[in-house]
Amino acid sequence: MTVEQNVLQQHSQKHQQTLLNQLKEVTGTTDVQLLQQALQVSNGDLAEAVAFLTEKNAKVPQQDETTYYQTSQVASDRYISVGSQADTNVIDLTGDDKDDLQRAIALSLEESNRAFRETGITDEEQAISRVLEASIAENKASLKRTHTEVWSDSPNPHDRKRIDNCPVGLKNVGNTCWFSAVIQSLFNLLEFQRLVLNYSPPARVHDLPRNQKEHRNLPFMQELRNLFSLMVGSKRKYVDPSRAVEILKDAFKSSESQQQDVSEFTHKLLDWLEDAFQMKAEEDREGEKPKNPMVELFYGRFLAVGVLEGKKFENTEMFGQYPLQVNGFKDLHECLEAAMIEGEIESLHSAENSARSGQEHWFTELPPVLTFELSRFEFNQALGRPEKIHNKLEFPSMLYMDRYMDRNREITRIKREEIRRLKEHLTLLQQRLERYLSYGSGPKRFPLADVLQYAMEFASSKPVCTSPVEDIDTSAPPGGTTGQQLPPPSTAEQDSLPPLESSGPASGPTTAPTAPQQQRVPIHKPFTQSRLPPDLPMHPAPRHITEEELRVLEGCLHRWRSEVENDTRDLQGSITRIQRTIELMYSDKSMMQVPYRLHAVLVHEGQANAGHYWAYIYDPHQRCWMKYNDISVTKSSWEELVRDSFGGYRNASAYCLMYINDKKPFLIEEEFDKETGQILSGMDKLPPDLKLYVKEDNEQFDKEIEEWDALQARKAQQEKLALATAAAAAAASAASSTSTSSSSPQPMSIESSPPDNAVPQQDPEYMEQPSPTNDSKHLQEDTERAISRAAAEQEERSPEALLNAAIKLEYGRLLRFAQEDTPPENDYRLQHIIVYFIQNQAPKKILERTLLTQFADRNLAFDERCKSIMNVARAKLDLIKPEEVNMDEYEMWHQDYRNFRETTVFMMTGLELFQKTNYVEALMYLIYAYQYNKELLLKGLYRGHDEELLGHYRRECLLKLNEQAAAMFESGEEPEVTTGLGIMNELVVPCIPLLLVHDTERDLLAVEDMRNRWCSYLGQEMESNLQEKLTDFLPKLLDCSTEIKSFHDPPKLPSYSTLELCERFSRVMAALGRVPSEGR
């Protein structure tokens, strides 16, 4: 059961009749039983009921055109909001892809909504206000209950102490991040701040409020003053706005103040403040027309000029927040242009008796603070719920409003007509250019210049045979491997390792490949081979073409390609010039006289039915943007603002823009002391009553700090006493055991001399072990095998010659491993460090020393030949001078390999646990494997493992955990719910910034899926305790900050020998199979 249905049920019979009337008007159906059946089937959902009836081919009445132009009539109110939220969030079905029936329904629904405008209650508005309704429902409970971890105060008051004069944050007291964003934006308008702080209620109100407005607005005004005073002079890092929010909550629940949308909060707030200042102004200026500072600060006027059924009209109207549609526009100016023109305006200058209707808006007076409300929500009739528009919308930091002013009406019309003409020409040129860039008649199209180039390359190719199949050996098995042997290392490859001594032979003979190697297919690897592979397919070529034909064809193709390239350049140049002309159309000085600078951007992250709000506010004194996110206030940048506010990038976007007149500096200027001329700051800004209020709060906070410090001092003293007692007990125990210890043997000195055969530098553990372990045995066997082969093939039997020959044989073997293209489960880099070094182009000196270290292993077999070779290798190691091998670089390469093996163990363990569906334990291994692997890949492509594979399983693990946690939450059982939310808070939520920080499309989609799953619960009926837990949890999940907060330590890793590591890695990778290319 949805939130909308709960609301609808509360209206009982009267609202039921309202729905019947709406359905009758929308669909034209007069059968009452059918209408009631539709409402019953749809559970009271108007959109679903309409869909049910339209499926039965119900007829739709024609829309009365005059209803659309109700704003042209003289308004009885003192102001109106241009195109209310009810208008801007109506279903948009007027596009070309919608049929006439749906278009008529959309218009009819719009007309129906206008009928309810006076009451402010419509079904669409109720749907859009889900977040606010949930917030209001939670406020009272949240003020009484103990706050959960995310918004709980730190027990240490020093953590909550304000640092210097940093801006003060606002505590989230139960889904009130929207309140914080709006209040901070207004507070940082210093003129507005001064008006609120210096407000004093009318004298008559101290006796008894006359009406409900005074009873509501004046207490709120006082709480707002208290809140602003704390934001000015508090010693706390953030303050609690609960009292002001409580008054707002009661007002939102009242019938006369139905809240429509979170973005309407600013309008309601200013409305209340206007009433409060109006009462004060009427008292101060009896007999004169009072001036309301709120109206002068936030309200402007525009002139509506138009034609209604052939009759011209002009009407001046007042506006506060100016609503703008987002859908279909790329920047703020396009939104404004569309909002200033309604209907078909072609007839505005035509004959009087024209049947067309339309109107233009021209600003006659702009307010000092100009606020645009961006309509990013629309009602989805098919789904029966509002949806957020994530489209990108750009806006400038400096906005010039000259083109929308009434005094520039004529010149703007001329420029608009010129722009319209240029855009038509631009569209034509772009269509022509597209024909050149996407040539062809099939589904795949290519640039025409490339097509001609391909044809020219084909014509000039020489055939190598008369048939494309005759040069293939049909007797060979599939794959063509017969007779193709892996070529032995070339002379260059054999000599790539510098000779160890000039006295040794330059090279040794290479042995023929073994039987299994003869079946391998040589695969071209650009990193390790510079030559082309021998089995590349033959290039297609014409078999019959004369020199004359080729000459003529090449001449034509060259000429045509030149013509196409010239035409393409001309079209691109013309398009660029026209675009530049349009951009500069309003750049002359006469149209840059009304500058408005961006002051604040209010951002919403999430979906239509849930989300998180914060604000970016410009600090003119520090000349930087600040991010106000509840209790957190941090420095930001224009780049971060653009990323989070323009939309189209994540599910975060601006929903409100606040501009200020750049020619009125008093809006943001500090106040000066009239006597001293000094800037007033801190407590000096406050009137006496608020100074006392802030002083008392600061004294209370100081007392809290003193009590905390005293408590910590007592704890420290108790710990010292406990340590002293334990030390005394230990001393007594030691004294009692002196006699027995005197007869015990003395321990060997730590500084005992090293054995005679110790080497100056310690080599990596996987290269040499003090005793024969599995790793050293494996390496030892490879070394002995190389020595035996060298002895069998080498004529000269001196230890130095055998060492050189053995090293060349071992290097050749490892080189082949490095060049071989293997499946993921056979990673030769894990078998030997030299393979890793070769693939990553390690310096030759590093390779040389590493191989020498392998042959200098003291654990080699104890026959005389191996001993002599080991001694020669160790001697050569000692002879290597520091300037020949940079030991820092040598250690860095070996450390990188250790990191590679460690990352492999993280990856392998995580994937094993994932395969066993142990997602809780698998997550940390996969998270650290991905992070460490990414660091490795920064140094080279072959430094780590497949990033896409690791990213896939990291993402899948989080999605699996999210599903598990959601299923536990849905069960409704208290232990299950607690466990599920614990999984989200401790595992999933801390990992979300890791997915957001790199902005890969699949990771962003995964985050979106996880958030949507939890946001979908907002529209469902559930127990109050579940609703409370969900409301506390969602702000954490929806925080789109990429700041990585507290995180788990890396899991401890077991140690594996090389053989064990390779075998387990092979099993895990073979079990995975291939990750689908489409990912999730």
Side-chain angles (χ1 to χ4, degrees):
M1 184 177 293
T2 64
V3 175
E4 296 94 322
Q5 291 161 5
N6 287 333
V7 177
L8 291 172
Q9 287 179 357
Q10 295 173 5
H11 286 277
S12 66
Q13 296 179 353
K14 183 176 179 180
H15 191 65
Q16 182 77 7
Q17 186 60 44
T18 300
L19 288 175
L20 288 173
N21 292 339
Q22 284 183 291
L23 275 178
K24 186 185 298 182
E25 180 180 353
V26 170
T27 63
T29 304
T30 56
D31 189 338
V32 177
Q33 292 183 349
L34 184 60
L35 294 172
Q36 290 176 340
Q37 180 188 359
L39 285 176
Q40 185 177 3
V41 168
S42 64
N43 291 326
D45 190 294
L46 183 62
E48 291 186 11
V50 171
F52 174 83
L53 291 173
T54 53
E55 288 177 0
K56 296 181 177 293
N57 295 324
K59 296 181 180 179
V60 183
Q62 292 295 322
Q63 168 89 6
D64 184 0
E65 189 178 8
T66 59
T67 59
Y68 184 77
Y69 299 100
Q70 290 176 354
T71 57
S72 63
Q73 309 303 321
V74 178
S76 58
D77 297 337
R78 66 174 176 270
Y79 70 89
I80 66 168
S81 179
V82 184
S84 68
Q85 188 70 21
D87 295 332
T88 59
N89 284 339
V90 169
I91 319 163
D92 184 11
L93 297 175
T94 58
D96 295 336
D97 58 335
K98 306 295 190 297
D99 57 31
D100 293 337
L101 176 62
Q102 290 175 315
R103 190 176 299 111
I105 291 174
L107 293 173
S108 186
L109 281 174
E110 178 182 340
E111 180 182 358
S112 174
N113 288 333
R114 290 178 184 277
F116 285 85
R117 182 175 298 157
E118 292 184 2
T119 64
I121 303 174
T122 70
D123 294 302
E124 287 81 0
E125 292 171 9
Q126 291 166 4
I128 293 173
S129 64
R130 288 178 182 176
V131 181
L132 186 61
E133 290 171 349
S135 169
I136 298 307
E138 283 299 310
N139 274 339
K140 193 173 186 66
S142 67
L143 292 175
K144 293 180 180 179
R145 67 175 181 266
T146 302
H147 296 302
T148 55
E149 176 187 4
V150 70
W151 299 123
S152 62
D153 291 331
S154 169
N156 185 351
H158 291 282
D159 295 338
R160 294 179 273 117
K161 189 174 182 180
R162 185 179 182 182
I163 301 173
D164 299 328
N165 291 320
C166 290
V168 175
L170 292 177
K171 185 177 179 180
N172 189 320
V173 292
N175 233 8
T176 56
C177 45
W178 49 272
F179 176 87
S180 302
V182 174
I183 290 298
Q184 291 282 19
S185 302
L186 295 174
F187 173 81
N188 282 277
L189 281 170
L190 298 185
E191 178 64 13
F192 179 85
Q193 182 189 120
R194 285 189 286 269
L195 288 171
V196 171
L197 291 175
N198 295 313
Y199 177 84
S200 58
R204 68 172 188 274
V205 179
H206 290 292
D207 300 329
L208 186 68
R210 296 180 303 178
N211 53 44
Q212 186 175 356
K213 282 187 177 181
E214 292 183 1
H215 183 75
R216 176 195 66 198
N217 295 349
L218 294 177
F220 175 76
M221 192 69 196
Q222 184 56 43
E223 291 302 334
L224 189 63
R225 293 182 70 239
N226 293 341
L227 181 61
F228 272 28
S229 66
L230 290 175
M231 294 169 72
V232 168
S234 178
K235 292 183 178 179
R236 304 175 191 264
K237 186 184 294 184
Y238 56 88
V239 294
D240 191 334
S242 298
R243 293 182 178 178
V245 172
E246 184 73 13
I247 297 175
L248 286 175
K249 173 206 65 176
D250 294 335
F252 291 155
K253 286 185 175 180
S254 66
S255 58
E256 71 172 42
S257 180
Q258 177 69 32
Q259 179 69 8
Q260 296 176 5
D261 184 80
V262 174
S263 60
E264 290 289 311
F265 164 70
T266 311
H267 175 81
K268 290 293 183 185
L269 172 65
L270 297 179
D271 191 15
W272 298 351
L273 295 177
E274 180 188 343
D275 288 338
F277 276 97
Q278 187 69 22
M279 287 183 285
K280 180 65 176 174
E282 289 174 354
E283 181 182 77
D284 293 343
R285 296 195 176 188
E286 295 183 1
E288 300 180 21
K289 186 177 180 180
K291 288 187 176 181
N292 192 316
M294 289 295 110
V295 175
E296 294 183 350
L297 200 58
F298 294 102
Y299 293 99
R301 287 180 173 79
F302 69 86
L303 182 68
V305 181
V307 176
L308 179 60
E309 295 182 348
K311 296 182 180 179
K312 292 184 178 181
F313 68 87
E314 286 193 6
N315 185 36
T316 301
E317 298 172 2
M318 204 169 186
F319 71 92
Q321 287 178 274
Y322 203 86
L324 297 174
Q325 289 289 339
V326 169
N327 213 1
F329 306 108
K330 68 176 183 179
D331 58 41
L332 186 62
H333 277 299
E334 284 192 3
C335 295
L336 275 166
E337 291 279 358
M340 303 299 282
I341 302 172
E342 296 181 9
E344 302 179 30
I345 64 168
E346 292 86 351
S347 60
L348 289 178
H349 316 293
S350 59
E352 286 286 336
N353 57 0
S354 172
R356 292 185 177 183
S357 301
Q359 61 176 311
E360 295 175 332
H361 292 171
W362 298 97
F363 293 119
T364 56
E365 182 182 346
L366 288 173
V369 182
L370 180 59
T371 306
F372 295 114
E373 173 194 320
L374 305 181
S375 178
R376 283 196 171 269
F377 302 98
E378 63 181 6
F379 192 80
N380 187 316
Q381 184 184 13
L383 299 177
R385 64 168 183 258
E387 288 187 337
K388 186 177 178 182
I389 302 170
H390 294 292
N391 298 354
K392 182 178 181 180
L393 183 79
E394 299 179 0
F395 48 84
S397 58
M398 185 67 73
L399 179 69
Y400 294 96
M401 295 294 294
D402 303 74
R403 71 185 78 174
Y404 311 108
M405 302 302 296
D406 182 55
R407 60 176 177 266
N408 297 323
R409 187 195 306 185
E410 296 305 321
I411 188 172
T412 299
R413 282 175 174 168
I414 294 172
K415 289 181 178 291
R416 283 178 181 172
E417 178 61 26
E418 177 65 14
I419 290 174
R420 186 191 63 79
R421 185 186 63 79
L422 288 172
K423 285 185 175 181
E424 289 178 356
H425 189 201
L426 181 64
T427 301
L428 182 61
L429 292 176
Q430 287 172 335
Q431 290 172 350
R432 289 180 180 177
L433 179 62
E434 183 64 19
R435 293 172 187 169
Y436 283 92
L437 298 180
S438 299
Y439 185 80
S441 56
K444 291 186 177 180
R445 305 192 175 198
F446 305 93
L448 180 53
D450 291 350
V451 172
L452 295 172
Q453 178 65 26
Y454 300 153
M456 193 157 49
E457 290 174 1
F458 172 77
S460 58
S461 298
K462 301 297 183 183
V464 296
C465 60
T466 58
S467 170
V469 297
E470 70 176 17
D471 62 333
I472 297 178
D473 185 1
T474 57
S475 64
T481 60
T482 297
Q484 293 182 357
Q485 297 182 356
L486 183 69
S490 64
T491 303
E493 289 169 336
Q494 289 285 352
D495 293 340
S496 61
L497 187 67
L500 303 177
E501 283 292 345
S502 59
S503 61
S507 64
T510 59
T511 59
T514 60
Q517 290 174 325
Q518 292 176 355
Q519 299 299 321
R520 292 200 190 108
V521 180
I523 297 178
H524 178 54
K525 299 187 75 173
F527 181 75
T528 55
Q529 288 176 243
S530 59
R531 59 186 179 276
L532 291 174
D535 57 347
L536 277 180
M538 183 188 68
H539 196 290
R543 289 195 293 276
H544 305 291
I545 185 170
T546 66
E547 292 294 332
E548 181 64 22
E549 289 173 337
L550 180 60
R551 185 181 59 79
V552 173
L553 185 57
E554 284 184 339
C556 292
L557 290 173
H558 273 295
R559 185 175 69 253
W560 295 339
R561 188 170 186 270
S562 298
E563 292 172 357
V564 168
E565 289 176 341
N566 290 335
D567 291 346
T568 303
R569 279 195 297 270
D570 290 344
L571 286 169
Q572 290 172 336
S574 298
I575 289 172
T576 302
R577 284 193 297 273
I578 291 176
Q579 289 173 336
R580 185 64 177 161
T581 302
I582 293 174
E583 290 174 1
L584 299 177
M585 187 64 70
Y586 295 99
S587 61
D588 51 287
K589 289 185 178 181
S590 63
M591 300 299 284
M592 300 175 71
Q593 300 301 310
V594 188
Y596 272 76
R597 184 177 56 76
L598 187 62
H599 164 70
V601 179
L602 279 64
V603 179
H604 172 267
E605 194 270 345
Q607 300 299 324
N609 53 3
H612 182 60
Y613 296 82
W614 68 91
Y616 289 101
I617 303 172
Y618 187 72
D619 186 335
H621 306 291
Q622 297 189 56
R623 295 186 178 182
C624 69
W625 285 93
M626 303 292 292
K627 182 178 181 180
Y628 290 79
N629 190 354
D630 290 327
I631 65 174
S632 171
V633 183
T634 56
K635 279 190 176 182
S636 184
S637 63
W638 175 254
E639 290 72 25
E640 183 183 1
L641 183 153
V642 167
R643 185 193 67 195
D644 288 345
S645 306
F646 278 11
Y649 182 68
R650 293 178 182 156
N651 55 357
S653 54
Y655 72 93
C656 186
L657 305 176
M658 193 176 290
Y659 284 87
I660 58 176
N661 193 322
D662 202 41
K663 291 187 175 181
K664 296 184 177 180
F666 71 91
L667 294 169
I668 53 174
E669 278 184 348
E670 295 282 1
E671 190 176 1
F672 290 86
D673 188 291
K674 295 180 180 178
E675 297 180 358
T676 63
Q678 302 268 332
I679 294 178
L680 296 177
S681 62
M683 298 284 280
D684 295 335
K685 288 184 176 182
L686 304 179
D689 62 323
L690 294 181
K691 280 185 181 179
L692 180 61
Y693 177 79
V694 174
K695 183 180 178 182
E696 291 174 354
D697 184 78
N698 285 340
E699 288 175 352
Q700 181 181 353
F701 186 62
D702 289 337
K703 184 179 179 182
E704 186 179 347
I705 292 177
E706 291 175 4
E707 291 175 351
W708 169 266
D709 291 341
L711 176 63
Q712 299 308 306
R714 286 196 300 271
K715 286 183 178 180
Q717 187 65 27
Q718 291 170 358
E719 289 175 0
K720 287 181 180 179
L721 290 174
L723 288 173
T725 304
S733 176
S736 64
S737 61
T738 303
S739 59
T740 59
S741 63
S742 61
S743 61
S744 302
Q746 295 299 316
M748 186 174 65
S749 173
I750 299 175
E751 299 179 355
S752 58
S753 60
D756 295 337
N757 59 352
V759 292
Q761 275 123 357
Q762 183 179 358
D763 289 300
E765 58 182 4
Y766 45 82
M767 295 300 300
E768 179 177 356
Q769 300 288 341
S771 62
T773 63
N774 288 334
D775 255 3
S776 62
K777 284 181 180 179
H778 175 73
L779 200 61
Q780 174 186 332
E781 291 172 0
D782 290 341
T783 307
E784 292 174 355
R785 192 180 300 114
I787 292 173
S788 298
R789 287 180 60 191
E793 299 171 6
Q794 187 72 21
E795 295 179 359
E796 187 179 348
R797 296 304 181 104
S798 67
E800 190 170 358
L802 287 176
L803 175 63
N804 285 336
I807 285 180
K808 284 188 176 292
L809 285 172
E810 179 71 353
Y811 177 73
R813 180 180 73 89
L814 298 175
L815 178 64
R816 285 193 292 274
F817 284 162
Q819 291 180 332
E820 186 172 341
D821 193 19
T822 60
E825 58 266 25
N826 295 333
D827 194 335
Y828 286 132
R829 293 175 299 174
L830 295 174
Q831 294 188 15
H832 204 291
I833 189 174
I834 292 295
V835 177
Y836 184 84
F837 283 178
I838 292 174
Q839 290 194 358
N840 290 289
Q841 297 178 309
K844 296 174 184 178
K845 292 291 185 181
I846 304 296
L847 292 172
E848 176 185 334
R849 181 178 175 86
T850 304
L851 279 170
L852 273 176
T853 304
Q854 176 179 334
F855 283 85
D857 185 1
R858 292 191 300 273
N859 297 317
L860 290 177
F862 291 100
D863 59 79
E864 291 303 321
R865 183 177 61 194
C866 288
K867 278 186 177 181
S868 60
I869 289 176
M870 178 196 71
N871 290 331
V872 172
R874 299 182 74 80
K876 287 182 177 292
L877 279 174
D878 292 338
L879 290 174
I880 295 176
K881 298 177 181 178
E883 60 268 18
E884 293 179 3
V885 178
N886 186 329
M887 290 307 297
D888 290 337
E889 185 182 17
Y890 176 83
E891 178 56 33
M892 181 196 71
W893 275 96
H894 282 264
Q895 182 60 49
D896 284 350
Y897 185 67
R898 285 192 288 270
N899 294 341
F900 170 72
R901 284 172 62 103
E902 183 179 280
T903 301
T904 303
V905 177
F906 273 116
M907 173 183 174
M908 180 182 69
T909 309
L911 292 176
E912 282 179 334
L913 292 168
F914 184 90
Q915 290 168 2
K916 297 175 183 177
T917 67
N918 190 349
Y919 305 121
V920 173
E921 292 186 28
L923 180 63
M924 283 301 105
Y925 286 100
L926 293 173
I927 288 293
Y928 277 99
Y930 184 89
Q931 293 302 113
Y932 292 160
N933 190 67
K934 193 167 192 68
E935 293 173 10
L936 288 172
L937 292 177
L938 291 175
K939 296 184 177 181
L941 181 61
Y942 298 100
R943 294 290 186 114
H945 294 285
D946 183 357
E947 184 176 19
E948 186 177 351
L949 181 138
L950 269 172
H952 171 83
Y953 282 99
R954 179 185 69 160
R955 184 167 58 247
E956 283 298 311
C957 194
L958 283 168
L959 288 169
K960 295 287 187 184
L961 286 173
N962 188 69
E963 286 299 313
Q964 285 184 357
M968 292 177 179
F969 183 81
E970 290 173 2
S971 71
E973 301 294 332
E974 185 64 27
E976 292 284 302
V977 171
T978 302
T979 303
L981 290 177
I983 289 174
M984 295 301 295
N985 286 323
E986 295 173 16
L987 295 175
V988 178
V989 170
C991 293
I992 284 181
L994 298 175
L995 299 187
L996 296 177
V997 71
H998 297 299
D999 302 326
T1000 60
E1001 182 180 359
R1002 291 173 185 171
D1003 285 347
L1004 294 180
L1005 287 174
V1007 173
E1008 192 81 7
D1009 287 348
M1010 288 187 280
R1011 289 173 172 172
N1012 287 342
R1013 176 67 181 269
W1014 290 91
C1015 289
S1016 67
Y1017 297 139
L1018 283 174
Q1020 300 180 20
E1021 186 181 51
M1022 62 182 69
E1023 298 293 333
S1024 59
N1025 66 317
L1026 293 182
Q1027 184 68 43
E1028 180 179 317
K1029 291 176 183 293
L1030 181 64
T1031 306
D1032 287 336
F1033 163 66
L1034 276 178
K1036 309 177 193 177
L1037 181 65
L1038 295 173
D1039 184 5
C1040 72
S1041 171
T1042 57
E1043 178 185 358
I1044 299 173
K1045 302 169 185 174
S1046 60
F1047 212 68
H1048 297 266
D1049 293 330
K1052 292 185 178 179
L1053 298 178
S1055 59
Y1056 294 104
S1057 69
T1058 297
L1059 186 60
E1060 290 173 334
L1061 179 61
C1062 292
E1063 288 178 350
R1064 292 193 66 177
F1065 181 80
S1066 179
R1067 286 199 303 270
V1068 171
M1069 298 302 292
L1072 290 181
R1074 185 173 293 277
V1075 180
S1077 60
E1078 63 272 13
R1080 223 168 9 92

